[in-house]
Amino acid sequence: GYFLKNRQAYYQGFRKVTEEGNWHEWITFILESIISTSKITKERIHALLSLIQEASQKIKTLLPRMYSKDLIEILFQHPYC
């Protein structure tokens, strides 16, 4: 996603490496993409963990006999279940 949003900078940086040998700018761009993507991924992981916890608590409250850790894992691994 980062490269698609920053397509112009990607190609400009790549061209500068090819034409001018400007590796510093290119490496900086790549590192910024890694940092940005990592932050987004971390936020998504935290949101997913929160959703798993919320679903777990709901099932424990509403359907205590059906609750199991395995059920929660299956629901999030195979949502079609």
Side-chain angles (χ1 to χ4, degrees), residues 71 74-81:
L71 172 63
I74 289 170
L75 288 173
F76 281 88
Q77 288 175 359
H78 307 285
Y80 57 85
C81 292

Side-chain angles (χ1 to χ4, degrees), residues 2-65:
Y2 185 87
F3 292 119
L4 292 175
K5 290 178 185 175
N6 298 285
R7 183 178 296 184
Q8 186 175 359
Y10 173 87
Y11 286 115
Q12 284 176 349
F14 193 66
R15 187 178 310 118
K16 286 182 181 180
V17 168
T18 304
E19 295 172 358
E20 304 167 18
N22 188 346
W23 283 97
H24 180 75
E25 189 175 319
W26 178 249
I27 291 171
T28 301
F29 175 80
I30 297 298
L31 291 174
E32 287 172 358
S33 74
I34 292 169
I35 291 168
S36 175
T37 303
S38 298
K39 287 178 182 178
I40 291 168
T41 301
K42 182 180 174 183
E43 290 170 6
R44 287 181 180 170
I45 289 170
H46 285 292
L48 183 57
L49 290 173
S50 178
L51 186 59
I52 291 170
Q53 183 65 30
E54 183 182 322
S56 181
Q57 289 301 321
K58 246 183 196 174
I59 292 173
K60 277 182 185 178
T61 302
L62 299 174
L63 304 165
R65 289 185 182 177

